[in-house]
């Protein structure tokens, strides 16, 4: 398949809070995703399925995706179309850096499908679009994480007497 567009960005929260928020497809749905919902009784864990509503160029469609990796603090991956016969793999990895986290996103075409285009030119345009939109996706992820509530520390602050 064609090379996958990869992108990397930095987000201020520490890795634990970033990845616990990001192991949810709502935060990592890509540049065209709007509504994302887990199937009933499913959640952000390996094997779970979710649906996502997408839009581009005046068209709307719904995709079905399956989570294939959900390691809080490390990585999150899902495959559009499911692990067995998927079309595209979306992956994010998380690495602490300074007071925040470096998030790396990759998008990989797993097999050809007419929904993605039927010519080499269509696939090249798709690859270029995904590469160009990766920064937007990472910025959306960082905004979603920043807006998400983070749990308070469980320990009491130490009092320092002078």
């Amino acid at each position: 398949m064609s090379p996958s567009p990869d992108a990397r960005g930095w987000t201020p929260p520490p890795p634990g809070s970033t990845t616990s928020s990001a192991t949810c497809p709502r935060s990592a749905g890509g540049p065209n995703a709007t509504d994302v919902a887990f199937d009933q009784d499913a959640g952000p864990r390996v094997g779970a399925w979710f649906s996502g509503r997408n839009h581009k160029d005046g068209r709307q469609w719904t995709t079905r995706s399956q989570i294939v990796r959900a390691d809080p603090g490390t990585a999150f991956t899902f495959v559009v179309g499911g692990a067995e016969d998927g079309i595209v793999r979306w992956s994010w990895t998380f690495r602490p850096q300074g007071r925040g986290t470096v998030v790396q996103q990759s998008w990989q075409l797993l097999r050809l499908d007419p929904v993605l285009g039927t010519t080499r030119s269509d696939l090249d345009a798709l690859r270029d679009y995904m590469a160009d939109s990766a920064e937007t996706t990472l910025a959306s992820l960082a905004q979603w994480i920043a807006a998400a509530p983070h749990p308070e520390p469980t320990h009491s602050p130490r009092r320092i007497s002078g």
Side-chain angles (χ1 to χ4, degrees), residues 44 80 149:
V80 177

Side-chain angles (χ1 to χ4, degrees), residues 10-27:
W10 184 86
T11 184
S17 63
T18 301
T19 54
S20 62
S21 297
T23 53
C24 174
R26 279 184 212 92
S27 63

Side-chain angles (χ1 to χ4, degrees), residues 25 38-39 41-50 64-68 77-79 82:
F38 283 104
D39 288 2
D41 299 325
R45 63 183 177 279
V46 172
W49 284 84
F50 63 92
R64 298 278 298 144
S65 299
Q66 186 178 27
I67 297 172
V68 295
T77 303
F78 65 85
V79 177

Side-chain angles (χ1 to χ4, degrees), residues 55-79:
H55 60 89
K56 183 177 181 255
D57 299 333
R59 296 179 303 129
Q60 283 194 347
W61 66 97
T62 300
T63 58
R64 298 278 298 144
S65 299
Q66 186 178 27
I67 297 172
V68 295
R69 184 172 182 191
D71 299 331
T74 306
F76 179 66
T77 303
F78 65 85
V79 177

Side-chain angles (χ1 to χ4, degrees), residues 14 21 26 32-33 37 76 107-108 112 132 137 141 146 153-154 158:
S21 297
R26 279 184 212 92
N32 303 316
F76 179 66
W107 181 91
Q108 181 183 12
L112 296 176
D132 291 344
T137 302
L141 175 63
T154 56
R158 270 192 309 179

Side-chain angles (χ1 to χ4, degrees), residues 43-127:
R45 63 183 177 279
V46 172
W49 284 84
F50 63 92
S51 297
R53 184 179 317 267
N54 298 272
H55 60 89
K56 183 177 181 255
D57 299 333
R59 296 179 303 129
Q60 283 194 347
W61 66 97
T62 300
T63 58
R64 298 278 298 144
S65 299
Q66 186 178 27
I67 297 172
V68 295
R69 184 172 182 191
D71 299 331
T74 306
F76 179 66
T77 303
F78 65 85
V79 177
V80 177
E84 295 292 318
D85 194 32
I87 300 170
V88 173
R89 175 182 293 122
W90 285 87
S91 297
W92 290 264
T93 58
F94 309 92
R95 181 178 47 83
Q97 181 176 330
R99 301 176 105 191
T101 302
V102 173
V103 181
Q104 183 161 351
Q105 170 189 297
S106 67
W107 181 91
Q108 181 183 12
L109 182 62
L110 300 174
R111 66 176 175 85
L112 296 176
D113 190 287
V115 73
L116 301 175
T118 56
T119 67
R120 179 64 190 191
S121 176
D122 291 342
L123 294 176
D124 287 345
L126 176 65
R127 181 200 58 223

